[in-house]
């Protein structure tokens, strides 16, 4: 499928004599035409960044969307805006099918296209051919989105099925995936994940996202997080269960989606990134039998990565330590009453001191160095921790209780 898009983009580039770039409706790169002059390419940092990073920046996206490209029925011209990093104007060919925009074809508006009349698309045979090719791209993207949505629904059915329905859901997904269903697979969770009103499929984030190399199926799973937020589940094909690199690469790409993270409030400045998301990988399995367990692991790893940034932004289940236990607890049950006074906002520094001290296995020298404080200051703070909690930091069980409760608090805050 990727090759078909490249061929069609090359057709548009040849018809108009300028390099064309195809992006999905969330500005993820799908294909691009070769540029004949490296110097010209360097003069257009937006196109260069899109090709190298596979996605445009939030500022560039906001600038283009302000011209109504998501509603446009015909080609439109967009002027440059150096403040947004857009130094060269663009001609945008909306990629539509069935009344829905699925992406955009971008053309550099240079001297080759200066006289192109966009008001009458078929007056110029070059533009007529480009529009016709763009319509073919739209049909392909729409078909791809439908297929991806169906697979996503089957994946979500399996991940959320009641015990009595698991076998039927597994059989339906196995039939849809074909031979890939019995091969090595990994589950990636991205949390949180934004969905539209009533939307649970990934298609809103671009069909190119769902069709990334190695992604067998993808879906949003509402209510995955303790606060009721959704997370994204992606089923990734692997070469072997011992080689999760494709899953990590997919997680990195998914984290760059505009839907990864919490939405920005309406009164926030344009271009501000959404609340940070994190990704987790479950232990790779062969086949679909343990897929729900792999999803639980991936979700726990994503929550751990959000709580403990040193683990992320992509964490594997095997590497999240105590969070393998803590993510399985109801948040309210992980808040021990003895430690609650320490968790008050007024004692944030004391709580951090205690956590670092326990992370350092109770070694005062290491903890003081990590905190950047004198050892005597550390001892004073630890004494205050004991007074607040009634716990004895020379007692192993008290230290364990304090440590686990502090880690659980991180999960709740995340």
């Amino acid at each position: 499928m990727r090759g078909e898009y490249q061929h069609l983009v090359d057709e548009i580039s040849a018809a108009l004599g300028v390099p064309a770039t195809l992006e999905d409706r969330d500005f993820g790169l799908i294909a691009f035409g070769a540029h004949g002059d490296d110097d010209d390419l360097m003069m257009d940092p937006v196109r260069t960044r899109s090709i190298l990073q596979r996605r445009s920046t939030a500022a560039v996206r906001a600038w283009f969307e302000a011209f109504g490209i998501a509603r446009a029925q015909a080609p439109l011209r967009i002027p440059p805006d150096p403040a947004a990093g857009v130094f060269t104007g663009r001609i945008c060919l909306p990629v539509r099918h069935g009344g829905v925009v699925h992406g955009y074809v971008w053309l550099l508006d240079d001297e080759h296209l200066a006289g192109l009349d966009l008001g009458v698309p078929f007056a110029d045979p070059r533009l007529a051919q480009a529009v016709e090719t763009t319509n073919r791209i739209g049909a392909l993207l729409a078909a791809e989105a439908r297929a991806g949505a169906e697979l996503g629904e089957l994946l979500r059915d399996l991940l959320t099925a009641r015990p009595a329905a698991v076998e039927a859901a597994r059989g339906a997904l196995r039939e849809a995936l074909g031979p890939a269903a019995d091969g090595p697979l990994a589950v990636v969770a991205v949390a949180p994940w934004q969905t539209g009103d009533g939307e649970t499929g990934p298609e809103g984030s671009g069909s190119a996202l769902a069709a990334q190399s190695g992604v067998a199926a993808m879906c949003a799973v509402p209510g995955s997080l303790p606060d009721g937020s959704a997370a994204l589940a992606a089923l990734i094909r692997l070469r072997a269960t011992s080689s999760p690199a494709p899953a990590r690469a997919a997680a990195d790409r998914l984290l760059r989606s505009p839907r990864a993270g919490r939405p920005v409030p309406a009164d926030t400045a344009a271009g501000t990134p959404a609340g940070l998301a994190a990704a987790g990988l479950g232990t790779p399995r062969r086949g679909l039998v343990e897929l729900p367990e792999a999803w639980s692991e991936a979700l726990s790893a994503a929550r751990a990565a959000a709580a403990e940034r040193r683990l992320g932004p992509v964490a594997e289940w095997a590497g999240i330590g105590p969070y393998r236990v803590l993510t399985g607890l109801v948040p309210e049950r992980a808040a021990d009453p003895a430690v609650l006074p320490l968790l008050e906002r007024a004692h944030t520094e004391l709580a951090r001191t205690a956590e670092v001290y326990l992370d350092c296995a109770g070694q005062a020298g290491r903890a003081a160095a990590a905190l950047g404080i004198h050892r005597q200051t550390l001892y004073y703070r630890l004494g205050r921790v004991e007074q607040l909690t009634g716990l004895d930091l020379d007692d192993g069980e008290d230290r364990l209780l304090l440590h686990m409760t502090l880690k659980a608090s991180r999960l709740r805050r995340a």
Side-chain angles (χ1 to χ4, degrees):
M1 185 65 78
R2 299 297 96 183
E4 291 184 65
Y5 291 127
Q6 185 62 59
H7 173 72
L8 293 171
V9 167
D10 289 342
E11 276 191 24
I12 296 174
S13 298
L16 293 171
V18 296
T21 303
L22 172 62
E23 294 182 329
D24 66 23
R25 63 183 177 188
D26 275 336
F27 291 70
L29 182 68
I30 300 176
F32 62 92
H35 199 290
D37 189 332
D38 289 341
D39 291 334
D40 286 346
L41 180 61
M42 292 303 294
M43 291 297 291
D44 186 63
V46 171
R47 185 170 191 266
T48 304
R49 188 184 302 110
S50 175
I51 292 172
L52 294 179
Q53 299 182 2
R54 318 299 291 182
R55 183 168 299 282
S56 295
T57 67
V60 169
R61 175 178 177 171
W63 172 250
F64 288 142
E65 288 183 335
F67 288 87
I69 59 174
R71 301 180 302 277
Q73 304 288 328
L76 68 163
R77 193 170 253 116
I78 300 175
D81 177 30
V86 183
F87 294 100
T88 305
R90 294 290 194 281
I91 290 178
C92 175
L93 308 182
V95 180
R96 304 181 68 88
H97 184 80
V100 177
V101 63
H102 291 277
Y104 310 100
V105 171
W106 299 102
L107 308 166
L108 296 179
D109 194 9
D110 60 12
E111 65 275 7
H112 295 90
L113 302 180
L116 201 62
D117 184 358
L118 304 188
V120 187
F122 296 99
D124 189 313
R126 298 177 301 162
L127 185 56
Q129 181 179 342
V131 169
E132 189 276 332
T133 304
T134 300
N135 292 338
R136 287 155 57 195
I137 293 174
L140 284 175
L141 285 174
E144 196 172 315
R146 286 193 298 272
E150 291 171 2
L151 281 171
E153 289 174 4
L154 293 174
L155 175 60
R156 185 170 53 253
D157 288 346
L158 176 55
L159 298 182
T160 60
R162 295 180 178 179
V166 166
E167 191 58 43
R170 184 184 298 123
L173 181 59
R174 178 181 288 112
E175 181 178 355
L177 289 175
D182 297 316
L185 299 165
V187 176
V188 169
V190 179
W193 186 264
Q194 299 176 45
T195 60
D197 294 337
E199 177 192 346
T200 53
E203 58 275 14
S205 58
S207 56
L209 192 63
Q212 292 179 70
S213 176
V215 178
M218 194 164 68
C219 66
V221 185
S224 298
L225 301 180
D227 66 355
S229 299
L232 182 80
L235 184 62
I236 312 298
R237 294 184 295 269
L238 304 177
R239 294 182 180 275
T241 55
S242 59
S243 303
R248 292 193 67 91
D252 285 332
R253 291 194 298 269
L254 289 166
L255 281 173
R256 293 196 292 271
S257 167
R259 298 215 170 196
R262 301 197 182 280
V264 177
D267 58 352
T268 304
T272 301
L276 291 177
L281 277 61
T283 304
R285 265 84 165 177
R286 182 170 289 278
L288 304 178
V289 174
E290 297 181 351
L291 206 61
E293 291 80 2
W295 164 240
S296 178
E297 291 176 359
L299 196 57
S300 293
R303 291 178 59 202
E308 194 92 60
R309 281 293 160 177
R310 65 179 175 81
L311 298 174
V314 180
E316 297 185 31
W317 163 258
I320 62 174
Y323 293 107
R324 291 196 300 229
V325 173
L326 292 172
T327 51
L329 299 178
V330 177
E332 294 75 17
R333 298 294 300 273
D336 188 81
V339 186
L340 288 179
L342 181 62
L343 300 180
E344 295 176 1
R345 186 182 298 273
H347 303 306
T348 300
E349 194 60 41
L350 288 179
R352 177 173 175 268
T353 297
E355 186 176 4
V356 171
Y357 172 71
L358 295 169
D359 285 345
C360 292
Q363 297 180 29
R366 282 178 57 201
L371 290 164
I373 60 176
H374 193 276
R375 189 179 297 207
Q376 287 303 122
T377 303
L378 173 69
Y379 290 141
Y380 169 76
R381 290 183 183 178
L382 295 177
R384 290 279 293 123
V385 169
E386 290 182 322
Q387 291 173 6
L388 281 169
T389 62
L391 298 176
D392 180 1
L393 293 184
D394 288 330
D395 182 274
E397 291 190 356
D398 280 5
R399 287 165 69 157
L400 177 61
L401 174 63
L402 177 60
H403 205 183
M404 296 295 276
T405 306
L406 289 170
K407 294 299 183 186
S409 175
R410 277 188 174 275
L411 278 178
R412 289 197 302 279
R413 294 197 304 273

